[in-house]
Amino acid sequence: MTRLMCRLGIYAALCVAVLAVAWGTGIASFPLGVPGEWTWARVNPSEPLGLALAPVLVVAALYVGFVWLGARYIATCRRAGLAAWICGLTLAGFAWLWVAQESAPENYQLSKAAWILYYRGSSGYFSEARDRAADWRRYLGSYEQKMAEGDVLHIGTHPPGLAIALRGMLGLCRSAPWFVDLLEATEPNSVRAAFDELQKREPLSRRDRAVLWLAALLVNAGAALTVIPLFALLTTTCTRRASWQAAAFWPTVPALVIFLPKSDCLFPFLATTFIWLWLEGLSRPSRWCSFGAGIVIWLGLFLSLAFLPVGFLALLAGFWNIRQGSPPGAAPSDGQALSTGRSQLTMRESLAQLIPAAAVASVGFSIPILAAWLFVRINLVNVWWLNFQNHAGFYRQYPRTYWKWLLVNPVEFAVAAGLPLTIFAVWSVIVNLRAAPYRRFGHVWAWLAMFALLWVSGKNMGEAARLWVFLMPFLAWFAGPLFESQRRPGTNPAPAAISARADGSAITDSTWAFGLAAQLVATALLVTQVVGFHVWEVLPVVANMPAP
């Protein structure tokens, strides 16, 4: 009981710390970023804090209760039951994200989709799709020349995937008027009011607003759906129960609520799907999984260069696990013994397993690149290189202080991912390294190497909370082994059995539940005080817009 109260006190202190940082009062009255270069803004809530928090805290309690109930049955249910629980977790996560966004100050609720997705200052892909990509074949064919112009902002630093996706949505809504009616009927009051206000000031048709709302719904759905590949990824190293408990943290990540409906919140779904397919292709082995991994990483890179580090992570994690003779995908069922792995392979044996899977994935990656060149004459490899150069040009136009961001970015990342989840992940890594420094933990070493390179490279000096959101699901993967509830018979303490160690490192269900609740509360507090968009710079014409 003493230990439980101590841990509860720690999580309560974390929530208070997050609240102090968010509100910026007292000793925590400091900018969220680097003044003069980039800072996240605080705003004054448009209604009393208790009134704003009441609905979201009710949903948070229901979410914890649902996940707790699922943890009791997930280990023993059959395949259909498992699918039902995972679908339920996805829907619960979607509901939490919806209500949590609605608890934000006025104009930063779900209504923010109207101006974030419409205006070029905050995004630009909708305007690009509507005004310049009507002929999408010609648009893609001239995209290299467009990138060569050297735009260092949104469009110039991104491949054409987002604009093409919105072009497809525009075509869908044009050809299906009934779908426009359906989308309009699903708009909550805050969204409808925002669109009505925007329509008074901009040439916004019913079809346009339907597309904007559809894009927002799809990104919200993608963020919630990430629990499916994340759960599958977790089951490669953990039992079902621990995988469920860890995956449940994903929808509670503060960055999701703050930055939805930006496309960055969709990238974790693709990143976790890619890593899962890649590791499954190695462990089975399955050529179809490897081929699918190639397709998914191409799709990710068609949307954003953020997937370059994910590809590096996949190669490094796959090689490390093969080298150690314990590839992912062989996690025990609940209650079964955990294998200690094969003996370490030689470099030649490791490459002999890795190269065929990489070759098949390369085929899946290359086919759409070749098809794009043959049908629309776009050299995607050159586009990516131009995007990379334009991104570097951003810091020539907007200089940043390297050493300051070197200090700020890890702190910003930890808060944006949620301090309870970050602590669980770090705790799990430390305990696992004590038990088995190398076996079955190559994915952590790979992620740390990738994160370190991204961190010291200075490629993201500012907005790490948004730009690095694709890295955040992997914290749940690292935390998963910490939630294992029973020791595997006949084995030494190992990553999938650390909670039963006699050294006091066990994670009880109560501690896990308190951590999940603390994560939800901290997210709710952040959302009421911190916003992820400089709306007064992007859209100063909106009436009653709260200023920092």
Side-chain angles (χ1 to χ4, degrees):
M1 178 62 71
T2 302
R3 179 176 296 172
L4 176 61
M5 295 302 297
C6 179
R7 289 172 178 171
L8 178 58
I10 291 173
Y11 295 133
L14 287 175
C15 287
V16 172
V18 169
L19 177 61
V21 170
W23 282 9
T25 57
I27 62 173
S29 184
F30 52 81
L32 303 177
V34 176
E37 297 185 6
W38 178 268
T39 56
W40 299 113
R42 299 181 180 93
V43 293
N44 296 319
S46 54
E47 58 185 358
L49 182 62
L51 188 61
L53 287 179
V56 73
L57 291 181
V58 170
V59 175
L62 293 173
Y63 184 81
V64 173
F66 173 78
V67 177
W68 182 286
L69 186 65
R72 295 184 59 185
Y73 298 105
I74 197 75
T76 56
C77 62
R78 297 186 177 182
R79 182 169 297 182
L82 175 63
W85 279 110
I86 297 300
C87 289
L89 183 60
T90 302
L91 293 174
F94 185 88
W96 156 258
L97 290 172
W98 185 290
V99 176
Q101 288 177 84
E102 284 290 87
S103 70
E106 186 179 359
N107 294 312
Y108 295 98
Q109 301 162 332
L110 285 165
S111 55
K112 62 189 174 181
W115 54 268
I116 288 172
L117 297 178
Y118 181 85
Y119 280 94
R120 287 185 174 271
S122 57
S123 179
Y125 306 109
F126 171 78
S127 299
E128 191 77 8
R130 185 188 62 179
D131 302 334
R132 300 181 183 178
D135 185 342
W136 64 271
R137 291 178 182 271
R138 179 177 298 178
Y139 178 77
L140 286 175
S142 62
Y143 201 77
E144 288 179 76
Q145 291 75 18
K146 185 179 183 66
M147 295 301 97
E149 295 173 2
D151 177 20
V152 301
L153 298 176
H154 297 289
I155 301 299
T157 58
H158 280 77
L162 294 171
I164 293 301
L166 282 160
R167 183 68 248 172
M169 295 180 209
L170 283 164
L172 173 63
C173 289
R174 180 188 295 114
S175 61
W178 64 268
F179 193 49
V180 173
D181 296 337
L182 176 63
L183 288 168
E184 194 173 64
T186 63
E187 294 174 359
N189 291 334
S190 63
V191 173
R192 184 173 294 110
F195 277 132
D196 290 343
E197 180 67 26
L198 185 60
Q199 203 162 355
K200 295 175 184 177
R201 305 172 185 274
E202 301 292 340
L204 190 71
S205 66
R206 286 184 67 239
R207 186 194 67 182
D208 291 343
R209 62 189 284 169
V211 169
L212 292 170
W213 180 231
L214 174 60
L217 287 175
L218 289 176
V219 177
N220 274 267
L225 284 167
T226 303
V227 298
I228 298 176
L230 179 58
F231 178 83
L233 194 58
L234 275 154
T235 56
T236 65
T237 52
C238 304
T239 58
R240 275 189 191 178
R241 189 175 189 276
S243 299
W244 168 269
Q245 291 176 309
F249 273 87
W250 168 246
T252 71
V253 166
L256 289 180
V257 181
I258 292 174
F259 297 112
L260 281 167
K262 289 286 284 186
S263 57
D264 305 81
C265 298
L266 176 64
F267 299 159
F269 173 73
L270 295 174
T272 50
T273 300
F274 163 65
I275 295 293
W276 173 68
L277 286 171
W278 167 249
L279 295 180
E280 283 290 291
L282 285 173
S283 64
R284 289 188 180 182
S286 168
R287 298 294 180 254
W288 285 111
C289 285
S290 298
F291 183 81
I295 294 289
V296 173
I297 192 63
W298 171 84
L299 178 59
L301 283 169
F302 192 57
L303 300 175
S304 172
L305 290 186
F307 286 85
L308 283 175
V310 180
F312 174 77
L313 167 63
L315 286 174
L316 199 57
F319 176 78
W320 185 280
N321 282 285
I322 289 175
R323 184 88 167 88
Q324 294 304 317
S326 48
S333 301
D334 295 72
Q336 294 180 343
L338 173 69
S339 172
T340 56
R342 305 188 303 271
S343 59
Q344 182 170 320
L345 302 182
T346 65
M347 177 73 72
R348 184 173 181 177
E349 290 172 331
S350 301
L351 291 175
Q353 290 189 30
L354 184 66
I355 289 176
V360 174
S362 297
V363 173
F365 178 72
S366 301
I367 286 176
I369 295 177
L370 181 60
W373 167 252
L374 291 176
F375 289 105
V376 293
R377 294 298 176 184
I378 179 174
N379 184 344
L380 285 174
V381 176
N382 190 42
V383 167
W384 293 326
W385 173 244
L386 292 170
N387 292 152
F388 188 82
Q389 290 182 310
N390 291 341
H391 184 272
F394 174 86
Y395 293 116
R396 289 193 291 269
Q397 292 192 29
Y398 305 93
R400 301 288 169 87
T401 308
Y402 174 81
W403 71 267
K404 292 181 180 179
W405 289 107
L406 198 68
L407 300 176
V408 169
N409 278 347
V411 178
E412 183 175 311
F413 177 82
V415 174
L419 289 178
L421 174 58
T422 302
I423 289 173
F424 276 149
V426 173
W427 187 354
S428 178
V429 169
I430 291 173
V431 174
N432 273 278
L433 291 181
R434 289 177 181 174
Y438 302 107
R439 299 293 185 191
R440 301 183 58 82
F441 224 49
H443 56 289
V444 175
W445 291 112
W447 187 92
L448 290 174
M450 179 268 298
F451 183 87
L453 287 174
L454 188 61
W455 177 38
V456 302
S457 70
K459 288 300 178 184
N460 292 124
M461 290 184 284
E463 299 189 77
R466 175 177 66 85
L467 296 173
W468 290 0
V469 70
F470 70 96
L471 303 176
M472 295 176 187
F474 300 105
L475 294 180
W477 189 15
F478 306 157
L482 199 64
F483 306 135
E484 295 289 355
S485 61
Q486 53 186 320
R487 185 169 186 159
R488 310 296 172 221
T491 64
N492 295 322
I498 57 175
S499 66
R501 287 170 57 86
D503 59 6
S505 62
I507 291 294
T508 65
D509 284 348
S510 297
T511 302
W512 160 77
F514 282 133
L516 181 61
Q519 177 97 351
L520 288 159
V521 172
T523 297
L525 293 173
L526 277 173
V527 169
T528 61
Q529 298 294 328
V530 178
V531 296
F533 305 97
H534 289 192
V535 63
W536 42 90
E537 297 174 1
V538 173
L539 184 54
V541 296
V542 171
N544 303 320
M545 184 63 66

